[in-house]
Structures are given as C-alpha cells and as structure tokens.
Amino acid sequence: MRHVIALDVGGTGMKAALIGDDGALLHRARRATGRERGTEAVIEGILAFAADLRAHGVEHYGAPAAAAGIAVPGIVDDARGTAVYSANLGWKDVPLRALLTDRLGMPVALGHDVRTGGLAEGRIGAGRGADRFLFVPLGTGIAGAIGIDGRVEAGADGFAGEIGHIRVRPQGVACPCGQYGCLERYASASAVSAAWAAACGNPDADAADCARAVVSGDPNAVRVWQEAVDALADGLVTALTLLNPRTMIIGGGLAEAGEVLFQPLRDAVRQRVTFQKLPTIVPAALGDSAGCLGASLLARDLLTTTTPTTPEVST
C-alpha cells in the first residue's frame, strides 16, 4: 500500500503517522523530543524515529513510504530544506531535509510547524474550500499561516505570517523580539494566563481559568479577557487589511474557550472594519493533529506535479 511518513517535531514531543494515498491513517506514534540531551541527540532522535517509521511501513505494508514530510519549530527555510534556528531545540542551520533523505532513501519535504498546521487546516480542516485564509494559533506565542489557493506562503526568507509581532500597543510591554507592544504580549494564551494570575492573585491560574471566570461574570476576568480580545482584533484587522483573507481560522489553547472567545472577537473585528470585507472567523478543526496532517500533505505534494485535491484524513 503506497503511503507517506508524517512527522511533527515539537519542543518536548514528536507526533508521527503513516498515511495512505486515500488519506487513511495507517499508523500513529509518539516520542519525546529529548531536548534535555542536547541538540545532536535531538537531531539523531528525529532521524531514528523516521527510520523506524520507514521500517514499520516495510514490515506491515510491503514497501517503504513513497515520501516523508516533517514539520519543525523555529525559523525554517522550506526551499533549502534547512532548520535555520530554534531556541527551544538549540539548533542552527541544520540541513534536516538532506539528513532525512540520506537516512530514508526517499523524497523529503521540510516545513515550518505553524505553516504546516495551517496547510492542513486550509485544505482539510476549518478552511477547506477557502481560496484565501489566515490561520492564527494562540498558544505560548502567536504565529500565522497565510493560505493562498491550497498552499501556504513562506515569504522571501521564511518569515511570512509572524502576526504575533504586529505592534498593537506601540508604547506597551517589551517583547523578546526587541519591539514594544507586540500582539503576542497581549493576546496569546500565555499572556492571558499571566494577566489573569496577576489580577486574581493566584500564580497558578491560567487562561482557561480566566475563561471560566468570564462565564461566571467575574468583572476582573471580563476586563482581562476583553483587553486580550481588543488587542487580538486590532492585530487581525491589520492582517485583514493587508491580506484580504476569506476565512480567518483561530486555533491554539485560547481558542478552546469556544464562543467565550469567538463571540466577542467577531464583534470586535466587525466594529473595527471600515472598507474591508469582513472575513468568516472560525475555530480550528484539527487540534494538535494539524502539524502531523500538514506534514503528510507536504509529503504527498512531492508525489504530484500539481496541487492535489486532498481526501479527508482520519484524525
């Protein structure tokens, strides 16, 4: 059975799958990234995991995978197949595609984790059918993936979509990137967690606790939440003005609040729009499977000369 390897590398764990030509999930596996053992161990762990997935395909399906796709965090040069930089994993200018190609003996595609997750959401998830979309996961930070006709735009140097570093409060909080008032300092899940922990006096409180307090009517929670929603709306309208997406897909931990987030966010964006066409704003559909599913799409794209019409992939 022809299939591909999909591998999503995170800061602490790796998710992987073998996926058939018809989109069927054939095999799923997880391993620790092992960053506590150092950069070289992380790289070797990725290569070994991929080799084991290849061997599983040979044993159970009679042949190795036809191609592999891998999604990694940090700065990624998709075209050269290089993992340029990751603070979490400690690497710099790692020729990961070439290393995997040598180890596996098959074509390999390398992608940025958020752009790869956005590819999956755009083709088979919440943005399916949209010719232009913006995928924005709200997690520890905020990133973005710009979808255009079934592909995701990387930009000239691999930095496209960094919406978290739009300055929404120019005189605001310092950001590790060197600017002040960046969106992710106000509207990421970690920013909301910090703001609510300070407001309620509980250092262990997080964004999910804040959302529950909003539902119960706590005025401090409502204030913290609305400040985050307003900042997010400011950032999204800037992106909307520049990119004119048909659909905005919001994911990550903060989106798990559901309509507690989406109802005020849609209202706030609507209030800010003047001449712009209001997009559909929807929650992401694929959860933490998006990166792995997107990696499978990268691999399958290597096997065709045109952008495929992608069947559903089981999650």
Side-chain angles (χ1 to χ4, degrees):
M1 178 183 293
R2 196 170 82 153
H3 61 280
V4 298
I5 293 170
L7 183 56
D8 179 21
V9 178
T12 58
M14 297 185 284
K15 298 184 287 289
L18 300 181
I19 295 179
D21 262 0
D22 59 355
L25 177 63
L26 304 176
H27 174 68
R28 178 180 286 170
R30 290 178 182 254
R31 285 188 188 175
T33 304
R35 63 181 180 177
E36 69 282 356
R37 300 196 307 273
T39 302
E40 293 303 319
V42 169
I43 295 169
E44 179 54 37
I46 292 169
L47 298 177
F49 195 11
D52 288 348
L53 292 164
R54 181 189 188 280
H56 185 93
V58 172
E59 180 181 354
H60 293 273
Y61 307 112
I70 179 170
V72 297
I75 300 169
V76 180
D77 186 331
D78 308 48
R80 291 195 302 128
T82 303
V84 177
Y85 176 76
S86 171
N88 282 338
L89 299 180
W91 60 38
K92 184 176 181 181
D93 294 326
V94 177
L96 200 51
R97 183 175 65 195
L99 293 172
L100 281 162
T101 300
D102 288 346
R103 180 70 67 95
L104 300 177
M106 66 182 66
V108 176
L110 178 70
H112 180 270
D113 56 354
V114 172
R115 291 197 295 269
T116 302
L119 179 69
E121 286 287 355
R123 284 202 200 164
I124 62 176
R128 186 167 188 168
D131 56 347
R132 299 287 191 279
F133 70 87
L134 179 66
F135 170 57
V136 181
L138 310 173
T140 303
I142 299 177
I146 303 165
I148 305 171
D149 292 332
R151 63 180 182 83
V152 172
E153 174 59 43
D157 299 296
F159 296 106
E162 289 292 344
I163 186 176
H165 297 287
I166 290 176
R167 295 176 70 196
V168 294
R169 303 290 181 265
Q171 307 306 316
V173 178
C175 180
C177 79
Q179 299 188 114
Y180 288 85
C182 288
L183 175 60
E184 69 176 39
R185 304 300 292 169
Y186 296 89
S188 63
S190 58
V192 175
S193 294
W196 176 235
C200 73
N202 178 2
D204 296 323
D206 62 14
D209 296 322
C210 186
R212 286 189 286 269
V214 169
V215 173
S216 70
D218 185 302
N220 281 330
V222 171
R223 173 184 56 80
V224 167
W225 197 259
Q226 192 60 50
E227 287 174 357
V229 166
D230 286 341
L232 182 56
D234 288 340
L236 292 180
V237 170
T238 297
L240 167 62
T241 304
L242 291 172
L243 302 173
N244 186 208
R246 199 172 308 278
T247 303
M248 286 185 167
I249 306 165
I250 311 299
L254 210 60
E256 293 176 5
E259 286 304 300
V260 176
L261 173 67
F262 284 92
Q263 187 271 325
L265 179 60
R266 293 183 185 113
D267 288 345
V269 170
R270 187 180 299 108
Q271 291 164 9
R272 287 161 171 75
V273 164
T274 54
F275 65 90
Q276 303 95 330
K277 178 72 172 177
L278 192 67
T280 302
I281 301 176
V282 298
L286 302 177
D288 69 355
S289 297
C292 197
L293 296 173
S296 78
L297 297 178
L298 291 178
R300 291 160 71 175
D301 282 357
L302 293 175
L303 305 177
T304 180
T305 56
T306 58
T307 299
T309 55
T310 312
E312 283 289 358
V313 179
S314 302
T315 59

